[in-house]
């Protein structure tokens, strides 16, 4: 399915009318117009409330028209829900899996600075790996002085080819100087560069918090354990990239 949609809105009237034109590829074996049901249209950057609408298209013209009405005064750009649009079963979806991770290898790169925070984060990551059947012998933990040193180490390890993903764990807590901004920005951009340069997912599990209380909340406190979340992301991304590599027809 190829779909190019354009929306025009009219805010000058009490009732907002929206219109979408979309182009679809259709089958010659379906000569009758096909009705497409949209349970809710709340796609970014438009929010059209909870109105139910429908669209029709004729295979001869391959043009889909969609119209809806909504009371004026609603806010644009607030909706983030993907519309439930079902047109063709030909579309392929590629997602990572958090199952079947027993043969995957991971490395955790953690900063010792603020270790009262980073140690619980590492423990959360290891617990998550264990919960999803990653073998202990397939996990390495590397400690570096602080978050600033994490990206280079992560990239070096990723390029060895021994690991399917790298989990980067650290804690940067804001202080009285601008040192926080320099370290946090460098760590974030460095981890991203490590992923792009190595082709191996380097997961950003570095906390950047305003104060120690926020960090504690995210290292096993009331907000959860971000180290465990980073490990789960590593499993899914490792699985996804393996799937894409195996399927030469995959579209990235």
């Amino acid at each position: 399915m190829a779909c190019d949609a354009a929306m025009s809105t009219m805010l000058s009237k009490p009732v907002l009318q929206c219109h979408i034109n979309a182009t679809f590829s259709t089958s010659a074996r379906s000569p009758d117009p096909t009705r497409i049901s949209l349970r809710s249209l709340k796609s970014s950057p438009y929010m059209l409330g909870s109105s139910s609408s429908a669209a029709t298209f004729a295979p001869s013209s391959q043009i889909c028209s969609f119209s809806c009405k909504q009371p004026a005064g609603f806010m644009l750009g607030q909706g983030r829900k993907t519309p439930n649009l079902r047109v063709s079963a030909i579309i392929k979806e590629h997602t990572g899996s958090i199952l079947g991770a027993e043969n995957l290898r991971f490395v955790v790169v953690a900063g010792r600075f603020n270790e009262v925070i980073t140690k619980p984060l590492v423990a959360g990551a290891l617990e998550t790996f264990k919960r999803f059947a990653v073998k202990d012998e397939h996990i390495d933990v590397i400690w570096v002085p602080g978050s600033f040193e994490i990206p280079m180490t992560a990239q070096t390890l990723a390029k060895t080819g021994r690991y399917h993903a790298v989990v980067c764990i650290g804690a940067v807590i804001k202080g009285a100087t601008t040192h926080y901004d320099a370290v946090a920005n460098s760590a974030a951009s460095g981890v991203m560069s490590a992923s792009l340069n190595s082709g191996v997912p380097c997961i950003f599990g570095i906390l950047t918090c305003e104060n120690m209380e926020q960090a504690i909340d995210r290292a096993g406190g009331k907000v959860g354990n971000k180290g465990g979340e980073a490990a789960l992301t590593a499993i899914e991304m490792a699985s996804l990239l393996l799937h894409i590599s195996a399927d030469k027809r995959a579209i990235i």
Side-chain angles (χ1 to χ4, degrees):
M1 180 188 74
C3 177
D4 298 320
M7 175 176 286
S8 62
T9 61
M10 299 171 60
L11 297 175
S12 58
K13 296 183 180 181
V15 175
L16 174 69
Q17 292 185 341
C18 305
H19 185 72
I20 298 176
N21 286 330
T23 303
F24 295 89
S25 61
T26 60
S27 171
R29 291 177 294 180
S30 303
D32 297 329
T34 303
R35 187 171 183 82
I36 308 169
S37 178
L38 280 76
R39 290 165 49 187
S40 174
L41 182 64
K42 291 185 179 179
S43 59
S44 175
Y46 303 98
M47 185 182 76
L48 302 181
S50 59
S51 59
S52 296
S53 305
T56 59
F57 73 93
S60 59
S61 63
Q62 294 187 336
I63 297 296
C64 166
S65 294
F66 169 79
S67 298
C68 69
K69 291 185 177 181
Q70 180 74 15
F74 73 101
M75 298 299 295
L76 293 178
Q78 292 183 354
R80 291 296 181 268
K81 184 177 180 180
T82 303
N84 186 14
L85 175 61
R86 297 181 180 180
V87 178
S88 172
I90 301 176
I91 300 174
K92 295 184 64 178
E93 290 187 79
H94 298 268
T95 60
S97 173
I98 57 175
L99 303 177
E102 59 272 6
N103 294 321
L104 300 179
R105 293 189 60 93
F106 301 94
V107 59
V108 177
V109 181
R112 286 195 307 269
F113 195 77
N114 289 321
E115 65 179 7
V116 68
I117 301 299
T118 58
K119 281 187 175 181
L121 290 174
V122 171
L126 297 179
E127 181 182 353
T128 297
F129 282 139
K130 183 176 182 179
R131 189 185 314 132
F132 287 91
V134 179
K135 300 175 183 177
D136 289 344
E137 57 268 28
H138 290 174
I139 305 170
D140 293 328
V141 178
I142 308 295
W143 289 93
V144 298
S147 296
F148 191 82
E149 291 74 30
I150 289 175
M152 185 189 71
T153 308
Q155 179 171 302
T156 302
L157 291 167
K159 285 186 173 182
T160 63
R162 293 198 300 262
Y163 305 104
H164 293 93
V166 181
V167 178
C168 302
I169 288 179
V172 186
I173 301 173
K174 192 169 186 178
T177 69
T178 58
H179 183 72
Y180 164 87
D181 298 313
V183 175
N185 292 335
S186 297
S189 60
V191 171
M192 174 60 74
S193 296
S195 291
L196 297 176
N197 292 336
S198 65
V200 174
C202 296
I203 310 304
F204 189 76
I206 301 174
L207 299 184
T208 55
C209 301
E210 294 284 331
N211 50 58
M212 183 62 73
E213 181 181 1
Q214 289 181 355
I216 293 173
D217 287 342
R218 289 157 178 77
K222 60 185 179 182
V223 183
N225 191 305
K226 298 302 179 180
E229 293 180 15
L232 194 62
T233 301
I235 295 173
E236 183 175 349
M237 284 301 298
S239 170
L240 175 62
L241 291 192
L242 284 175
H243 179 67
I244 290 175
S245 298
D247 188 351
K248 301 302 182 182
R249 299 172 300 170
I251 299 177
I252 303 177

